Amino acid sequence: MSLVELNNDCYYQGDLDVLQDIIDVNESLSGEEPLEIGGQLWVDGRLDTLDLSTNQLISLPESIGDLSSLEDLELSSNQLTTLPESIGNLSSLTYLSLSFNQLTSLPES
């Protein structure tokens, strides 16, 4: 597990990479830094809570499924029409909010 130290805090590189992927696939987040998007709660260097509501998101990357410690994911009030199949890999997820999006189907996972 690769940890990165920023501002005297440690973050798991894989989780930071996923946040960068989210930025890369959403023009509305262009120019943002991974630790600056949405509301985030990190526990022991792992992303535990991510609130990306009202960010005009149009897509989520397949890498979202790599956030293995994520427990709470808030995606309401965006412009999502689909979710990646990998969202089913979020084994620690206990809360997922998708209200006020434009979803037409959900992945089997």
Side-chain angles (χ1 to χ4, degrees):
M1 181 159 85
S2 174
L3 292 174
V4 176
E5 186 174 337
L6 299 167
N7 304 324
N8 293 326
D9 289 317
C10 287
Y11 303 94
Y12 178 58
Q13 183 65 54
D15 291 355
L16 291 172
D17 291 345
V18 173
L19 293 176
Q20 184 62 56
D21 290 346
I22 293 170
I23 293 168
D24 292 346
V25 300
N26 289 284
E27 191 174 317
S28 63
L29 298 176
S30 179
E32 297 287 334
E33 294 294 323
L35 291 173
E36 296 174 350
I37 64 169
Q40 302 175 16
L41 175 64
W42 293 76
V43 176
D44 296 329
R46 298 301 309 263
L47 189 58
D48 179 85
T49 301
L50 181 60
D51 182 349
L52 292 174
S53 55
T54 63
N55 273 281
Q56 299 178 325
L57 302 184
I58 58 169
S59 181
L60 292 175
E62 279 293 329
S63 63
I64 192 88
D66 295 339
L67 295 174
S68 59
S69 294
L70 192 67
E71 293 185 10
D72 186 339
L73 180 57
E74 173 68 60
L75 296 169
S76 64
S77 301
N78 282 294
Q79 298 167 16
L80 298 170
T81 57
T82 62
L83 296 174
E85 188 68 36
S86 66
I87 202 155
N89 297 342
L90 298 174
S91 56
S92 297
L93 198 66
T94 57
Y95 178 80
L96 173 63
S97 177
L98 296 166
S99 59
F100 302 104
N101 276 285
Q102 300 166 14
L103 295 170
T104 55
S105 65
L106 296 174
E108 284 294 318
S109 62

